[in-house]
Amino acid sequence: MRVLVIGLGKLGLPLACTLAKHGIPIYGYDTNVLLMNALESHEFTTTEPECDYREVHLVRSIEQGVRETDMAMVCVQTPELNPGIMDVSYVNSAVGAIASAAGYQYSVIINSTVIPGTAATLQNTYPKLQIISNPVWIALGSVVHDLENPPVMVIGIEQWWLDGKALLKELWTKAITNTPYWLDTDTRTAEFIKLAHNAWATIKMSWLGNIKDHATGINIEDVSEFMAHGGERPGAFWKTGPSFGGPCFPRDLRFYNHIISDPFGMQAMATNKRRIGELVYKIEHSIPSDGTVVILGRGYKAGSTIDTESPALQLAESLSHFEYKVEIDPDPMIDADVYVLMWPNMDTSKLPEDAYIIDAWRSD
């Protein structure tokens, strides 16, 4: 398996070095002629530890690189044109050049950070290529180490007719030294995960900074350490849904917001309320205002009979301002214009075959 790495910058060069370090034949290309000359003469100095580029075979064109390899990894820059507007022209140009050079089925891995939909658009534009989204998470100064030790490996794919996904997994299996969680998804979701993760990282830092600035007498280092270890239940609370409820979370969030007037906490409460409003909106635009709504799932979470600040009760209260006839967990089941599922993966076998269902856990 021979791999072409396009873009030998902050990500591309360490990536090429990492793969070459583990015995994978790597060919590298960059449009920067001065950089290519410096790399060729071994005069380029990198500050990345363990980034030995002497094992990387340099090529002077994408065409040459494609002829020599089985797949390409695109690591070119995606600068910001205007606030929030990403320039993906370098990615588009690189993939276009690959398509012209290949003329046959060939796998292209996009490692660059791109806007969601980039890979899907390229896949439609170049149907002979197999476009795969493979975002990576690195910190400058430890790129090789980070590439070798990913906690999660994300692979997004649209077309399955090539074996690029299997080759990519084989490639990373040779290079990584830990055992990551493999997440297979579509390209748009993979691209969004990268942006969502980095946004979440900034939110965490800003949130802790706000605590430090406004919560007097609090040891912020201990708060940070607790959160860094996953909090009370590592990996928990990463599920979407209609909203959160129960006897603890809403109440404690109000207490917390009262103590330091946290804009993040205020926004969390506002978002929680808005999600109930979105369900009301779906119902309003699905059935007449005098229709019957059956809400299935009374407790604040699946498997619980506790209905303190339950999303189901909040939804029923919101609907009471209209002329809807509302039933919550009726027994026996009654006919309705719409059935609203408040818990995930609820059994719908007892509902009429032609029942109109709104699943609060789905966005469609």
Side-chain angles (χ1 to χ4, degrees):
M1 176 173 32
R2 301 163 301 167
V3 180
L4 169 64
V5 176
I6 301 175
L8 301 177
K10 297 180 178 66
L11 169 62
L13 185 61
L15 173 61
C17 294
T18 302
L19 299 178
K21 171 184 174 182
H22 292 276
I24 300 166
I26 298 298
Y27 296 75
Y29 171 77
D30 197 286
T31 57
N32 186 330
V33 176
L34 295 178
L35 172 62
M36 291 292 288
N37 291 340
L39 291 171
E40 198 168 55
S41 61
H42 297 164
E43 295 177 351
F44 179 76
T45 301
T46 174
T47 58
E48 287 295 333
E50 302 182 75
C51 188
D52 184 355
Y53 57 82
R54 290 174 296 179
E55 297 300 319
V56 176
H57 307 287
L58 300 176
V59 293
R60 287 294 180 166
S61 69
I62 289 179
E63 291 76 14
Q64 179 188 354
V66 169
R67 288 196 302 268
E68 299 285 347
T69 57
D70 306 298
M71 65 166 53
M73 305 182 81
V74 177
C75 303
V76 299
Q77 61 176 322
T78 52
E80 191 173 27
L81 286 173
N82 293 303
I85 306 300
M86 183 186 294
D87 180 5
V88 294
S89 62
Y90 297 97
V91 174
N92 293 338
S93 177
V95 176
I98 293 171
S100 297
Y104 52 85
Q105 297 178 346
Y106 187 84
S107 294
V108 179
I109 319 301
I110 299 180
N111 304 108
S112 300
T113 301
V114 296
I115 55 174
T118 299
T121 298
L122 290 168
Q123 184 67 79
N124 290 332
T125 305
Y126 306 108
K128 287 187 177 181
L129 299 179
Q130 182 185 44
I131 309 295
I132 300 175
S133 177
N134 178 216
V136 293
W137 285 266
I138 50 101
L140 299 183
S142 61
V143 178
V144 173
H145 174 271
D146 296 339
L147 291 172
E148 290 179 323
N149 297 273
V152 181
M153 184 61 68
V154 178
I155 297 178
I157 192 168
E158 297 288 338
Q159 301 287 347
W160 297 85
W161 44 262
L162 269 181
D163 58 358
K165 178 182 173 184
L167 289 175
L168 181 60
K169 283 194 172 185
E170 179 185 345
L171 175 112
W172 278 118
T173 300
K174 290 181 178 180
I176 58 181
T177 59
N178 65 343
T179 306
Y181 174 77
W182 293 86
L183 176 60
D184 295 332
T185 184
D186 60 274
T187 57
R188 185 182 295 269
T189 301
E191 292 160 340
F192 182 78
I193 285 174
K194 176 62 179 291
L195 298 179
H197 171 274
N198 287 357
W200 174 235
T202 63
I203 290 171
K204 288 191 290 185
M205 289 185 283
S206 298
W207 178 70
L208 285 170
N210 190 63
I211 293 177
K212 181 178 183 296
D213 293 339
H214 295 95
T216 58
I218 301 299
N219 187 325
I220 190 62
E221 285 76 17
D222 288 348
V223 175
S224 301
E225 184 175 357
F226 176 79
M227 298 300 178
H229 284 82
E232 179 243 344
R233 275 175 276 180
F237 315 119
W238 282 110
K239 293 290 185 181
T240 185
S243 64
F244 57 81
C248 297
F249 279 171
R251 180 204 65 176
D252 290 355
L253 180 55
R254 288 190 290 269
F255 289 158
Y256 169 82
N257 288 338
H258 182 74
I259 292 172
I260 64 171
S261 299
D262 192 330
F264 298 102
M266 299 291 187
Q267 183 60 49
M269 191 65 77
T271 299
N272 205 45
K273 184 177 181 180
R274 175 178 55 79
R275 293 187 66 78
I276 295 297
E278 290 173 349
L279 282 175
V280 174
Y281 180 85
K282 284 185 179 181
I283 294 170
E284 280 188 284
H285 289 76
S286 301
I287 64 172
S289 59
D290 60 348
T292 300
V293 179
V294 169
I295 301 174
L296 300 176
R298 183 185 187 90
Y300 80 98
K301 67 176 182 178
S304 174
T305 59
I306 298 173
D307 59 15
T308 304
E309 299 203 42
S310 163
L313 296 185
Q314 294 175 45
L315 176 60
E317 181 181 0
S318 296
L319 292 174
S320 69
H321 298 295
F322 303 89
E323 297 181 6
Y324 294 112
K325 301 167 188 169
V326 180
E327 294 280 349
I328 304 179
D329 259 358
D331 188 20
M333 188 62 64
I334 65 172
D335 290 334
D337 295 289
V338 62
Y339 298 87
V340 183
L341 310 183
M342 298 302 295
W343 295 345
N345 306 316
M346 293 190 73
D347 181 12
T348 59
S349 60
K350 294 182 180 180
L351 300 182
E353 291 185 4
D354 59 347
Y356 182 67
I357 298 172
I358 293 178
D359 190 338
W361 286 73
R362 295 179 62 90
S363 58
D364 54 0

